């Protein structure tokens, strides 16, 4: 399923990149419509967003930091929209600038977050991030989606590699993403693999 989500994000990024490279409209409603169409495909899409280097939008702005972020997000089956100007004081330690430097597609480590004014619900999610590059392979922005990971638990409950076995999903850093026993989700690998197994060695082999 995550491969399908990645391909959808890539498709969205190609549309956005073509728009930016052609110098067409930067009207917020244009991006909002694209993001609306993407997030409406699946209720497991918690948000769809695009970050654009502010120097692309404002030709008088010459700094390499500073970005405009458009986000369509889902809260209680309704869609909200945010238009934000960020990082004008300088670069931060966020994944945005890490991807700015290495220019590779990235799935973030799983994390919990809230959306809009609904602080009562925290969602376990990952973000798929696709850099936007111009014809000179210069970084001009980042497109992506925030994906709910709760949908993976029913999948692993039904997955039996062999008799008496159980399947679970962990992140590259040992975060339990999905497990037949939901109480393990969000915890560390060492809590769910049983006694007598070295979790560090196990994770090294997985990596």
């Amino acid at each position: 399923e995550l491969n399908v989500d990645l391909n959808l994000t890539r498709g969205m990024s190609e549309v956005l990149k073509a728009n930016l490279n052609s110098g067409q409209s930067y009207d917020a409603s244009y991006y909002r419509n694209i993001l609306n169409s993407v997030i409406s495909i699946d209720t497991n899409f918690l948000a769809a967003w695009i970050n654009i280097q502010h120097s692309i939008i404002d030709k008088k702005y010459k700094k390499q930091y500073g970005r405009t972020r458009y986000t369509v997000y889902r809260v209680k089956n309704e869609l909200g929209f945010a238009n934000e100007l960020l990082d004008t004081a300088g670069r931060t330690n966020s994944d945005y600038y890490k991807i700015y430097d290495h220019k590779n597609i990235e799935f973030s480590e799983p994390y919990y977050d809230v959306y809009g004014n609904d602080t009562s619900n925290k969602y376990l999610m990952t973000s798929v991030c696709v850099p936007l590059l111009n014809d000179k392979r210069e970084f001009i922005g980042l497109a992506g989606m925030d994906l709910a990971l709760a949908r993976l638990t029913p999948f692993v409950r039904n997955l039996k590699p062999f008799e008496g076995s159980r399947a679970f999903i962990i992140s590259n850093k040992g975060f339990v993403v999905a497990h037949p026993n939901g109480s393990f989700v969000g915890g560390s690998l060492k809590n769910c693999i049983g006694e007598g197994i070295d979790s560090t060695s196990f994770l090294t082999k997985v990596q």
Side-chain angles (χ1 to χ4, degrees):
E1 290 190 34
L2 293 179
N3 282 334
V4 174
D5 300 338
L6 173 58
N7 288 334
L8 180 60
T9 307
R10 278 174 166 166
M12 177 179 72
S13 71
E14 287 300 319
V15 172
L16 296 169
K17 183 170 66 175
N19 177 74
L20 292 172
N21 282 333
S22 67
Q24 294 179 13
S25 171
Y26 301 118
D27 184 81
S29 62
Y30 172 85
Y31 299 107
R32 182 175 187 173
N33 288 336
I34 292 177
L35 298 173
N36 263 324
S37 65
V38 171
I39 197 174
S40 298
I41 293 173
D42 191 329
T43 56
N44 288 300
F45 300 162
L46 299 176
W49 41 264
I50 176 176
N51 295 268
I52 304 171
Q53 286 289 100
H54 194 58
S55 58
I56 300 296
I57 295 176
D58 183 353
K59 300 302 182 183
K60 295 180 181 180
Y61 189 88
K62 300 301 181 182
K63 298 175 182 177
Q64 292 186 329
Y65 54 82
R67 56 189 166 118
T68 295
R69 181 171 67 192
Y70 302 111
T71 307
V72 172
Y73 56 90
R74 189 185 305 278
V75 176
K76 296 181 179 179
N77 296 320
E78 295 185 0
L79 298 182
F81 178 69
N83 179 352
E84 304 163 284
L85 179 59
L86 306 171
D87 304 340
T88 55
R91 285 178 57 135
T92 68
N93 292 324
S94 69
D95 286 346
Y96 179 84
Y97 290 103
K98 294 175 184 177
I99 298 174
Y100 178 105
D101 291 333
H102 64 59
K103 300 181 177 64
N104 296 319
I105 293 172
E106 181 177 289
F107 276 96
S108 72
E109 271 292 301
Y111 61 98
Y112 284 97
D113 205 352
V114 298
Y115 280 108
N117 296 321
D118 181 17
T119 58
S120 60
N121 292 310
K122 285 190 175 183
Y123 301 91
L124 178 61
M125 66 183 78
T126 185
S127 297
V128 54
C129 310
V130 178
L132 306 177
L133 308 178
N134 63 17
D135 294 336
K136 298 179 181 179
R137 288 197 55 78
E138 296 169 330
F139 183 92
I140 56 176
L142 187 69
M145 292 195 296
D146 299 339
L147 312 172
L149 293 174
R151 59 179 165 160
L152 299 178
T153 293
F155 170 74
V156 297
R157 283 178 180 155
N158 295 323
L159 184 61
K160 304 290 183 183
F162 51 86
E163 188 65 29
S165 69
R166 65 183 178 185
F168 56 92
I169 300 173
I170 60 173
S171 74
N172 197 50
K173 294 184 178 179
F175 184 99
V176 180
V177 175
H179 194 284
N181 182 343
S183 65
F184 289 126
V185 174
S188 171
L189 170 65
K190 65 181 180 180
N191 296 329
C192 70
I193 60 174
E195 297 180 2
I197 300 177
D198 183 351
S199 61
T200 301
S201 175
F202 184 94
L203 183 58
T204 299
K205 292 178 180 178
V206 171
Q207 292 170 333

